[in-house]
Amino acid sequence: MPPGFLCVFAEPGQQVTLDEFQDWYNSEHVPLRLNHLPSFLSGARYSASDSQIPSWIALYDIDDTSTFQHESYTRLRANRSPRESALVQRLEILDRRTCQYAYDSGESSLSSSLKYENPTPVLLTLGLNLLEGTIDDWASNVKRVDGWVRTRAFLCIDSLKTGLGIPAGPEAQKVPKYLVVLEFTSASLFDHQSVKDILTAPGIEEVRTWELYRAYPCVAQGNLPA
């Protein structure tokens, strides 16, 4: 099975305070995955730097897409704590997308991407409905940008949007076929012409920019605190 990737967009909304949202994520939701499941290779959360919503994104590298069906993972959602169950029902947006690798420019010496040590400080994410040839062209152009770290594209294999702010019906559940994550060392690089050229390509939607909130230690990296 190919490597997997999990992306979760979230917006606390009016019914969940930011402090409550952060405490839940940091003390319960993330540790249940990263502290116990070796299949979760890394995990980091970013806050929106573009004033759009959802205002939070959580990203996880997964060893294998079979993890998404494994009991060790599925039971976490099936057996939520009373606290998590109540909080999730009050969120404005929870947009969960499970993915598999479609393209990777390769790791960089500039950062560890989503790992605890030296994570990437800023991201540009976008949705894409056309892939063939497009990512290769982007990669060659963006590689010339001093401060570009990595470009990855992921095929969305499953998705679910829930929350008080999600309308009923199938239209609201639609997501782009691919999620593209571009990593940079500085947000100033979003204004570079090579980056701007990407955003005018056909099939682009959901363009977002993010800044690092926190990368987490995990059992897979062997760096959990004693």
Side-chain angles (χ1 to χ4, degrees), residues 2-6 39-41 60-65 67-68 101:
F5 194 75
L6 175 61
S39 53
F40 276 67
L41 305 179
Y60 308 87
D61 284 302
I62 311 296
D63 65 345
D64 190 305
T65 53
T67 292
F68 298 132
Y101 268 63

Side-chain angles (χ1 to χ4, degrees), residues 90-169:
R90 291 183 283 120
L91 290 174
E92 185 73 11
I93 298 171
L94 191 65
D95 177 353
R96 176 180 175 274
R97 307 181 192 184
T98 56
C99 308
Q100 69 181 45
Y101 268 63
Y103 175 90
D104 187 0
S105 64
E107 295 183 2
S108 169
S109 62
L110 296 177
S111 89
S112 67
S113 289
L114 305 178
K115 293 180 180 177
Y116 181 62
E117 298 290 343
N118 191 32
T120 296
V122 295
L123 304 175
L124 187 154
T125 63
L126 53 89
L128 178 65
N129 287 307
L130 301 170
L131 183 67
E132 291 186 10
T134 305
I135 297 293
D136 289 323
D137 292 341
W138 290 358
S140 61
N141 290 334
V142 177
K143 280 181 179 178
R144 295 195 291 266
V145 178
D146 186 21
W148 165 82
V149 175
R150 190 178 190 180
T151 300
R152 292 191 283 176
F154 307 95
L155 172 66
C156 182
I157 57 178
D158 189 32
S159 64
L160 179 65
K161 297 180 186 179
T162 61
L164 301 177
I166 302 298

Side-chain angles (χ1 to χ4, degrees):
M1 302 287 280
F5 194 75
L6 175 61
C7 169
V8 183
F9 298 94
E11 180 63 32
Q14 297 298 313
Q15 303 299 318
V16 178
T17 68
L18 182 58
D19 285 345
E20 183 183 13
F21 177 73
Q22 300 291 50
D23 184 63
W24 162 65
Y25 240 116
N26 293 329
S27 65
E28 180 177 354
H29 189 76
V30 169
L32 281 174
R33 287 147 180 82
L34 296 188
N35 292 16
H36 302 284
L37 302 182
S39 53
F40 276 67
L41 305 179
S42 67
R45 296 176 58 217
Y46 290 78
S47 61
S49 58
D50 55 13
S51 301
Q52 298 186 55
I53 60 169
S55 53
W56 294 91
I57 188 173
L59 302 173
Y60 308 87
D61 284 302
I62 311 296
D63 65 345
D64 190 305
T65 53
S66 64
T67 292
F68 298 132
Q69 285 77 47
H70 196 277
E71 187 272 342
S72 64
Y73 175 63
T74 59
R75 66 179 171 81
L76 295 177
R77 296 177 65 200
N79 301 297
R80 285 172 168 158
S81 70
R83 174 204 193 191
E84 180 167 82
S85 295
L87 186 145
V88 166
Q89 292 178 10
R90 291 183 283 120
L91 290 174
E92 185 73 11
I93 298 171
L94 191 65
D95 177 353
R96 176 180 175 274
R97 307 181 192 184
T98 56
C99 308
Q100 69 181 45
Y101 268 63
Y103 175 90
D104 187 0
S105 64
E107 295 183 2
S108 169
S109 62
L110 296 177
S111 89
S112 67
S113 289
L114 305 178
K115 293 180 180 177
Y116 181 62
E117 298 290 343
N118 191 32
T120 296
V122 295
L123 304 175
L124 187 154
T125 63
L126 53 89
L128 178 65
N129 287 307
L130 301 170
L131 183 67
E132 291 186 10
T134 305
I135 297 293
D136 289 323
D137 292 341
W138 290 358
S140 61
N141 290 334
V142 177
K143 280 181 179 178
R144 295 195 291 266
V145 178
D146 186 21
W148 165 82
V149 175
R150 190 178 190 180
T151 300
R152 292 191 283 176
F154 307 95
L155 172 66
C156 182
I157 57 178
D158 189 32
S159 64
L160 179 65
K161 297 180 186 179
T162 61
L164 301 177
I166 302 298
E171 191 68 26
Q173 293 296 325
K174 289 183 178 179
V175 301
K177 185 175 182 179
Y178 296 94
L179 169 72
V180 181
V181 180
L182 297 103
E183 305 177 29
F184 298 92
T185 58
S186 170
S188 64
L189 299 173
F190 297 153
D191 293 325
H192 194 285
Q193 189 59 49
S194 294
V195 178
K196 289 182 176 180
D197 289 344
I198 291 174
L199 307 183
T200 61
I204 296 295
E205 54 184 290
E206 295 186 350
V207 177
R208 299 296 309 274
T209 60
W210 311 89
E211 60 185 11
L212 180 68
Y213 164 70
R214 181 181 296 182
Y216 298 84
C218 62
V219 65
Q221 295 173 37
N223 54 12
L224 290 175

